[in-house]
Amino acid sequence: MVSLSATNQDVRPVFPFTAIVGQDEMKLALILNVIDPKIGGVMIMGDRGTGKSTTIRAIADLLPEIPVVADDMFNSHPSDLELMGDEVRNLIRKQEAVETRFIKVPMVDLPLGATEDRVCGTIDIEKALMEGVKTFEPGLLAKANRGILYVDEVNLLDDHLVDILLDSAASGWNTVEREGISIRHPARFVLVGSGNPEEGELRPQLLDRFGLHAEIRTVKDPTLRVEIVEQRSNFDQNPQSCIESYKDQQLDLKQKIIDAQSNLKNTNLDYEFKVKISQVCSELDVDGLRGDIVINRAAKALAAYEGRTEVTVQDIKKVVTLCLRHRLRKDPLESIDSGVKVAKVFDQIFEGS
């Protein structure tokens, strides 16, 4: 088995994640999702010009390189059967050697005008019928496997495409069927959507399927605004110098994420806390059980991130609003913010814990 390292990559400099000032809620939501992708992605809603795209690209750049089978269109893992395409899986089962290399975690942008074929991929029907060969042209879901799929202005994307993205993110697979011919490939990715609430919300049925929902607002503090502007100006003038000055912080955070991913399976959530989490969801009249499941996962991911094996009340408190604010039923006559409502019910139920 040959191992090659991805070198000489001609890529644009990316603003360091640790240099981003403020927007702690968005940064935490992204970190929790890369620690445990089963949380189900994050929807980021906020004002224009608040650094949504910059932050999402920065977290992808921060992550450690991943091993893939060389020249495989699905970024197949060289040893994990669940993260392989069928062709690679057959080679592994036959105990044939596969060439591997390391690549940066894929970061795929989905444009608003994308068609279903562009997203899912296409099968060459003529070649399949005439030559009996399945020829697959991979789409964005194939390229995003084991990475991050980012949809800016997701609230303006066709609902049918959003459904496809959410189904693939939840199942980890994408299936393309044309004229009785079917091809399936792994599509495990962290789905990140962003949008401006002024341009409309997603339908509740779709919004509910995002694991976390982060709200960001334009920074009002003048001192903080100046700091953000100066950071960006320094990066634009000399990106390499800016990246170098944050090198140690980037390495520390990268190691912290790697350790959390490794320790996640050893993190415990007390049964009493699980019951109270479900009480909170019930009291808030949250439909289904997604809210309960996501809070459990996010709290454990946060505990692992903080280097602990036991989830605390503070862990749950820190993630509960991220997990539930978008799952509450909207009452047009109610003036209270959904985040405040979640926090209020949480305090009532967990008080004295």
Side-chain angles (χ1 to χ4, degrees), residues 53-327:
S53 300
T54 298
T55 307
I56 293 157
R57 288 182 175 82
I59 190 74
D61 187 65
L62 174 74
L63 298 176
E65 292 186 337
I66 57 172
V68 299
V69 174
D71 301 321
D72 179 74
M73 66 179 74
F74 308 125
N75 303 322
S76 291
H77 194 286
S79 58
D80 188 338
L81 293 174
E82 284 297 307
L83 298 175
M84 293 178 187
D86 290 339
E87 195 174 314
V88 173
R89 190 183 291 110
N90 290 336
L91 290 174
I92 296 295
R93 282 175 175 160
K94 291 175 185 174
Q95 297 187 330
E96 293 186 27
V98 293
E99 185 179 331
T100 67
R101 65 189 182 102
F102 284 82
I103 64 167
K104 290 190 75 65
V105 169
M107 163 75 189
V108 176
D109 279 285
L110 190 147
L112 272 182
T115 62
E116 184 176 341
D117 283 349
R118 179 80 181 95
V119 173
C120 298
T122 56
I123 299 170
D124 189 330
I125 298 298
E126 187 176 347
K127 201 164 190 177
L129 294 175
M130 300 294 290
E131 302 176 27
V133 178
K134 284 186 181 181
T135 305
F136 182 64
E137 180 66 34
L140 296 176
L141 293 181
K143 290 178 177 148
N145 186 39
R146 301 178 64 207
I148 295 172
L149 181 61
Y150 174 47
V151 190
D152 193 13
E153 308 292 356
V154 67
N155 46 335
L156 301 181
L157 192 67
D158 182 75
D159 281 352
H160 173 60
L161 283 181
V162 178
D163 260 329
I164 290 171
L165 296 179
L166 290 164
D167 284 342
S168 295
S171 68
W173 292 92
N174 173 46
T175 303
V176 182
E177 294 183 347
R178 297 288 185 275
E179 308 295 333
I181 299 168
S182 177
I183 287 181
R184 189 181 80 139
H185 69 78
R188 299 202 176 202
F189 51 84
V190 175
L191 179 61
V192 180
S194 68
N196 183 342
E198 292 177 4
E199 291 163 347
E201 289 273 3
L202 274 180
R203 285 192 290 116
Q205 301 94 307
L206 296 177
L207 198 55
D208 171 65
R209 292 173 62 186
F210 279 90
L212 307 180
H213 186 285
E215 287 184 358
I216 54 177
R217 294 287 176 260
T218 303
V219 174
K220 301 297 182 187
D221 179 31
T223 308
L224 201 54
R225 288 172 76 109
V226 169
E227 186 181 346
I228 294 168
V229 171
E230 287 184 342
Q231 289 274 36
R232 187 70 222 190
S233 299
N234 291 339
F235 178 79
D236 290 339
Q237 288 170 13
N238 193 338
Q240 293 307 325
S241 173
C242 180
I243 289 169
E244 187 62 31
S245 65
Y246 282 92
K247 185 178 178 182
D248 289 342
Q249 292 179 48
Q250 290 282 98
L251 287 173
D252 287 346
L253 180 55
K254 181 184 286 190
Q255 189 58 51
K256 198 174 175 183
I257 289 172
I258 292 170
D259 291 343
Q261 289 170 331
S262 175
N263 296 331
L264 183 62
K265 60 182 177 294
N266 301 319
T267 308
N268 300 310
L269 177 60
D270 189 79
Y271 179 76
E272 183 187 345
F273 288 165
K274 291 180 182 178
V275 173
K276 290 192 173 184
I277 286 169
S278 290
Q279 275 184 268
V280 171
C281 294
S282 179
E283 184 69 27
L284 288 167
D285 201 19
V286 175
D287 289 333
L289 295 174
R290 280 200 187 104
D292 308 53
I293 293 167
V294 171
I295 296 171
N296 279 250
R297 286 193 178 280
K300 288 171 78 171
L302 179 57
Y305 177 63
E306 299 290 354
R308 288 180 276 101
T309 56
E310 294 292 334
V311 172
T312 66
V313 174
Q314 285 306 309
D315 292 329
I316 303 168
K317 186 170 188 175
K318 202 166 182 179
V319 302
V320 69
T321 302
L322 282 170
C323 298
L324 293 184
R325 65 152 63 97
H326 57 305
R327 304 181 198 278

